[in-house]
Amino acid sequence: MIFLTALSLFWIMISASRGGHWGAWMPSSISAFEGTCVSIPCRFDFPDELRPAVVHGVWYFNSPYPKNYPPVVFKSRTQVVHESFQGRSRLLGDLGLRNCTLLLSNVSPELGGKYYFRGDLGGYNQYTFSEHSILDIINTPNIVVPPEVVAGTEVEVSCMVPDNCPELHPELSWLGHEGLGAPAVLGRLREDEGTWVQVSLLHFVPSREANGHRLGCQASFPNSTLQFEGYASLDVKYPPVIVEMNSSVEAIEGSHVSLLCGADSNPPPLLTWMRDGTVLREAVAGSLYLELEEVTPGEDGVYACLAENAYGQDNRTVGLSVMYAPWKPTVNGTVVAVEGETVSILCSTQSNPDPILTIFKEKQILATVIYESELQLELPAVTPEDDGEYWCVAENQYGQRATAFNLSVEFAPVILLESHCAAARDMVQCLCVVKSNPEPSVAFELPSRNVTVNETEREFVYSERSGLLLTNILTLRGQAQAPPQVICLARNLYGTKSLELPFQGAHRLMWAKIGPVGAVVAFAILIAIVCYITQTRRKKNVTESPSFSAGDNPPVLFSSDFRISGAPEKYERERRLGSERRLLGLRGEPPELDLSYSHSDLGKRPTKDSYTLTEELAEYAEIRVK
């Protein structure tokens, strides 16, 4: 009843718009469920001057030209139709009112195609209209989803089915919409070309979990077994969320590291691995690996994974800790200081984990810290004893490195107590040992001679430096009888020090005076005296004791009775002199300075001291004999 009322109104509008020329109006396309019916609305017009008594019409299938013998769908004159349309087609409109609406029942897929109308007014007044309607036989409802469904934004999905059969009207229901929203049925709607549809709407706010959800719509026809279903998968767009990533990674230097980043998004994201703003790798994918071969400490740090698409972005970071042995420590600070100053030395290194830092001097620990990369050594008021080599050692479970450094303490000269003078044969040697930094200039002063001999005069002074010690030896020949006063003078930029060198071993002077020649002469005289005294006593005993027996032991006079004071010390002096030279590390004989006569005189005559000693020994022997 509703359909007939609407159709009457449709033709009232058509009648009001007659133009008086050949023409037809029908929907360009129309659809119907298989097994149902479909009404194709149609109207036509012709020139008013024709005024036919009877108006006939013909519907053709797929061709408008009779000469092609197209299948006849409906023919008002003869009711003769093609076998495919027998019992299926009838005219709903009144041709006299220029209404050519066609009804097709029990439609099947083979009836889908083009339908043309031909007006027949009698005689030559026949006209096939080029306008036609395309019938589409369907089996599923049409679910209309917006071209873009974004998570978090409300969306409207509609289910639309044709409702062009006056005998059967569909009823719609939603399938799989649980959790999405409640459907709303709008009912029957007229389309622009005069066709009708049933529409049901579903409003909901999708989430990322709804992506790929299968949503269905069912069309059923009351009082029949006809039922049709259609489905659509939701393509929900949503921004990336990083769902898979390494936790903090520890790796030993030189090992292989693989970092993984996986993200969930629609559409797939652009994944980018970055470090300190530098892109390391990127790709459009659901997951992306970053491979690091033979990692170094320089690759230690924070790595970021960025996932982005047109709907947003997400990022996460992962820390890579490269474990390695300490680097060679570096020492920054004072390495030269003046005695009394405060010295600050900083030793630093780099390692992972942080090392144990220790500063040694001669195997003695001076400072240490645990799990620190820097160590500060403070030496208040440094002394010469602080001068020397130091070691800074850094170690952890992956290795050990060390650096040596020297601290040079500068101070005024100090003349050590072992400095002295001593006689050696016919000469006097003076030893001056100076401790100083920087190296001092050393000179020997002889006030009684008004002479100064410095270390640059190599023919008289022997010098040797060992560490902070400077050893100088002055040799004076011909001074054993009357050794001069000797003063050692040491000077550097921090001060001057002087010391009168004491003379050690005065009882050795006699043998120094005698010399080697005099010693031989004295020894020969001693032997002669002993022999003379022995023979004299034998004669005396024979005269005084006529009863002398040859078996009695005669009294013996030992040479020790004639020992000259100072003679045994000769060998002791030579032994000590050799020891002193070995201690000082001297090589060969030191240079000599003869202040009494030249070396050429030695070959011409014996020394004065030798003759004097011989005469004294002779007089001494005569006294003993008497």
Side-chain angles (χ1 to χ4, degrees):
M1 184 65 182
I2 297 175
F3 175 76
L4 295 177
T5 303
L7 189 60
S8 301
L9 294 174
F10 173 73
W11 287 115
I12 291 174
M13 293 186 291
I14 293 299
S15 301
S17 60
R18 290 179 178 177
H21 62 274
W22 292 102
W25 292 265
M26 62 185 71
S28 60
S29 63
I30 191 170
S31 59
F33 283 106
E34 182 180 0
T36 64
C37 66
V38 61
S39 173
I40 302 176
C42 173
R43 70 177 179 84
F44 68 98
D45 199 5
F46 51 85
D48 293 337
E49 63 270 15
L50 295 180
R51 300 179 184 274
V54 179
V55 178
H56 292 281
V58 181
W59 280 94
Y60 292 113
F61 181 65
N62 279 339
S63 178
Y65 305 110
K67 64 181 180 179
N68 294 334
Y69 301 103
V72 176
V73 177
F74 173 82
K75 190 173 186 180
S76 61
R77 284 184 180 274
T78 62
Q79 302 295 322
V80 176
V81 298
H82 189 269
E83 59 182 356
S84 300
F85 296 95
Q86 289 181 1
R88 291 183 170 184
S89 61
R90 62 189 177 95
L91 195 65
L92 291 181
D94 185 351
L95 296 178
L97 297 177
R98 307 182 186 187
N99 185 344
C100 52
T101 302
L102 176 68
L103 177 65
L104 297 175
S105 302
N106 193 21
V107 295
S108 56
E110 65 270 14
L111 300 186
K114 298 177 181 179
Y115 289 81
Y116 295 87
F117 178 71
R118 179 180 176 83
D120 182 4
L121 304 183
Y124 293 103
N125 294 322
Q126 299 181 18
Y127 189 84
T128 301
F129 301 98
S130 60
E131 291 82 0
H132 62 277
S133 183
I134 300 175
L135 175 62
D136 183 22
I137 308 301
I138 62 174
N139 288 293
T140 58
N142 181 27
I143 299 178
V144 180
V145 180
E148 185 176 76
V149 179
V150 181
T153 303
E154 186 179 41
V155 65
E156 178 184 273
V157 179
S158 61
C159 178
M160 303 178 66
V161 295
D163 190 9
N164 296 306
C165 178
E167 301 170 358
L168 295 171
H169 296 283
E171 293 182 355
L172 300 179
S173 59
W174 287 94
L175 304 174
H177 70 287
E178 294 82 4
L180 297 180
V185 179
L186 295 182
R188 193 165 182 262
L189 297 178
R190 184 177 181 273
E191 298 180 298
D192 294 338
E193 292 186 327
T195 58
W196 296 84
V197 293
Q198 274 286 357
V199 179
S200 180
L201 302 179
L202 185 64
H203 290 266
F204 61 94
V205 178
S207 63
R208 65 175 57 244
E209 290 77 15
N211 183 46
H213 182 80
R214 198 162 180 257
L215 186 63
C217 178
Q218 184 183 81
S220 58
F221 294 84
N223 303 319
S224 72
T225 59
L226 297 174
Q227 192 175 77
F228 303 92
E229 294 179 356
Y231 292 89
S233 293
L234 297 179
D235 185 18
V236 180
K237 309 296 185 183
Y238 54 91
V241 174
I242 295 177
V243 295
E244 187 176 13
M245 195 168 186
N246 303 78
S247 57
S248 296
V249 177
E250 288 187 357
I252 300 175
E253 182 180 10
S255 63
H256 173 267
V257 174
S258 180
L259 302 179
L260 171 64
C261 178
D264 174 38
S265 72
N266 186 27
L270 172 65
L271 292 177
T272 306
W273 275 107
M274 304 177 68
R275 180 171 181 262
D276 297 333
T278 301
V279 175
L280 304 177
R281 190 184 180 193
E282 63 180 1
V284 177
S287 61
L288 183 65
Y289 280 94
L290 178 63
E291 304 290 346
L292 301 175
E293 303 289 343
E294 298 182 356
V295 292
T296 65
E299 294 174 293
D300 185 289
V302 177
Y303 291 77
C305 176
L306 175 65
E308 57 184 336
N309 63 11
Y311 301 95
Q313 66 178 23
D314 190 19
N315 67 83
R316 284 178 60 184
T317 60
V318 58
L320 173 60
S321 181
V322 179
M323 318 302 285
Y324 58 97
W327 291 359
K328 186 177 179 64
T330 58
V331 177
N332 299 318
T334 304
V335 292
V336 177
V338 179
E339 181 180 11
E341 290 183 345
T342 297
V343 172
S344 178
I345 297 174
L346 177 66
C347 175
S348 62
T349 185
Q350 183 175 332
S351 70
N352 192 14
D354 285 331
I356 299 174
L357 275 173
T358 307
I359 295 180
F360 294 90
K361 183 176 186 284
E362 298 176 353
K363 298 183 180 181
Q364 180 182 359
I365 297 177
L366 303 180
T368 185
V369 291
I370 298 176
Y371 305 137
E372 296 287 345
S373 59
E374 293 184 350
L375 174 58
Q376 189 90 16
L377 175 63
E378 295 284 346
L379 297 175
V382 292
T383 65
E385 286 70 26
D386 294 319
D387 188 286
E389 184 181 58
Y390 293 72
W391 284 89
C392 179
V393 180
E395 60 181 329
N396 63 12
Q397 61 264 44
Y398 299 102
Q400 181 188 82
R401 296 296 298 273
T403 296
F405 62 94
N406 289 300
L407 171 61
S408 179
V409 179
E410 297 185 342
F411 54 95
V414 176
I415 300 177
L416 303 187
L417 296 179
E418 56 260 36
S419 302
H420 66 279
C421 290
R425 295 193 298 274
D426 62 341
M427 59 186 174
V428 172
Q429 289 188 321
C430 293
L431 172 70
C432 184
V433 183
V434 181
K435 186 176 183 180
S436 172
N437 190 21
E439 181 176 345
S441 61
V442 177
F444 292 93
E445 292 185 354
L446 283 72
S448 61
R449 305 286 199 278
N450 195 23
V451 174
T452 299
V453 182
N454 59 46
E455 58 187 337
T456 61
E457 301 180 54
R458 296 300 181 186
E459 60 177 310
F460 309 126
V461 179
Y462 175 83
S463 296
E464 183 172 289
R465 184 171 180 85
S466 176
L468 299 178
L469 294 179
L470 177 64
T471 301
N472 294 267
I473 298 177
L474 171 67
T475 301
L476 303 175
R477 177 173 286 281
Q479 303 300 309
Q481 183 177 3
Q485 179 188 16
V486 179
I487 297 175
C488 179
L489 183 66
R491 178 184 293 109
N492 68 7
L493 59 91
Y494 297 107
T496 303
K497 196 74 173 181
S498 63
L499 177 68
E500 182 178 349
L501 302 180
F503 196 90
Q504 295 183 355
H507 59 283
R508 304 176 189 175
L509 279 176
M510 185 180 70
W511 286 104
K513 294 177 182 180
I514 293 175
V517 177
V520 173
V521 174
F523 187 70
I525 293 173
L526 283 175
I527 294 175
I529 292 173
V530 171
C531 292
Y532 174 79
I533 293 173
T534 302
Q535 291 178 1
T536 303
R537 286 188 176 182
R538 283 181 181 177
K539 292 179 181 181
K540 185 177 181 180
N541 290 336
V542 169
T543 305
E544 293 178 354
S545 304
S547 59
F548 173 76
S549 173
D552 295 336
N553 292 324
V556 177
L557 182 63
F558 295 95
S559 61
S560 59
D561 294 340
F562 298 94
R563 187 186 314 167
I564 299 175
S565 176
E569 281 83 325
K570 171 185 176 182
Y571 304 99
E572 175 65 16
R573 177 185 60 79
E574 292 179 351
R575 183 186 65 81
R576 291 184 60 186
L577 181 58
S579 299
E580 291 175 353
R581 289 178 178 176
R582 287 192 300 272
L583 179 64
L584 297 174
L586 301 179
R587 293 179 296 274
E589 292 293 331
E592 298 178 353
L593 175 63
D594 189 348
L595 300 181
S596 61
Y597 53 85
S598 65
H599 287 283
S600 60
D601 295 335
L602 291 175
K604 297 178 180 179
R605 61 181 177 84
T607 63
K608 177 183 178 181
D609 292 339
S610 298
Y611 281 108
T612 303
L613 180 59
T614 304
E615 294 171 357
E616 289 176 357
L617 288 174
E619 293 174 358
Y620 183 80
E622 291 177 359
I623 293 171
R624 293 288 294 182
V625 171
K626 294 178 181 179

